[in-house]
Amino acid sequence: MIKSSGESPTPTARDQAYQWAKEAILGSRFPEGSFLEEKVVSDEAGVSRTPVREAFHRLAAEGYIQLLPRRGAQVRSVTARELFETYEMRQVLEIHGFKLLCDKRAELPPGLHEHLDRMEDPEQLERCWAGDRDAIARHATLDFFFHFSFVKASGNGVLIDLFRSLQSRHQRIAVSAVSLRPRRLRVINPEHRTLLDALTVHDFETASTTLRRHLNPDEQVISHLR
């Protein structure tokens, strides 16, 4: 995965609870519609109840769960409307980033080809095709950072912040969509290569056309969402 330079700070107890719960949701230990229990997260993450409650508020703000009075924390379901609206906003932000990047003839960050190699690792793809939600969640994380790399290369700080704010939706939707149609990765991954090749030579038209196709909602996925 493409990483920023510098050492990562030591995670707080709230961070530990948040990370454990997020991975458990994306990996389908807690499926959509199920409830997260504070005690389970506290025991598994090795922290007290207070940071778990703080983590729940962050997860709710990012759309992973709903905090229901007297019922607890329920894992949110991805809806067709959320998918459509997120794809629509991603197109707006990413295509604008492509335009800035190409107009400036900005250099892309190093390591993107290797990043795609990781996304196309045969063993990981086999696990995705078999419906392994942990493998699908890892692919979704790699997918976000691949697309985010182009937005960062645009150099527009506000655009970067706006796209970063979509990370949780991006990953939740990617996990849900790929879980429903894992073989679609055979289409998605080559489109990533086309995007990278186009933006390497600052070919805005090919990049924007490819992204629109890339983010065209799959009818079979939509038919399974509410």
Side-chain angles (χ1 to χ4, degrees), residues 113-127:
H113 285 286
E114 291 78 9
H115 189 85
L116 288 183
D117 288 343
R118 292 189 64 191
M119 295 181 72
E120 297 169 3
D121 176 74
E123 182 179 342
Q124 288 300 306
L125 286 178
E126 286 292 341
R127 293 180 64 185

Side-chain angles (χ1 to χ4, degrees), residues 95-96 98-99 102 198-199 202-209 212:
I95 289 175
H96 185 63
F98 293 172
K99 186 70 165 60
C102 292
L199 291 171
H202 306 109
D203 180 353
F204 171 73
E205 293 302 327
T206 297
S208 57
T209 298
R212 289 189 181 95

Side-chain angles (χ1 to χ4, degrees), residues 20-21 25 30 34-38 41 56 59 65 72-75:
W20 186 89
I25 291 168
F30 295 96
S34 65
F35 283 84
L36 275 171
E37 295 182 15
E38 283 185 8
V41 179
F56 278 8
L59 289 164
I65 62 175
Q74 185 176 34
V75 178

Side-chain angles (χ1 to χ4, degrees), residues 191-210:
E191 288 174 346
H192 286 150
R193 293 283 178 186
T194 302
L195 273 178
L196 178 54
D197 291 344
L199 291 171
T200 298
V201 296
H202 306 109
D203 180 353
F204 171 73
E205 293 302 327
T206 297
S208 57
T209 298
T210 301

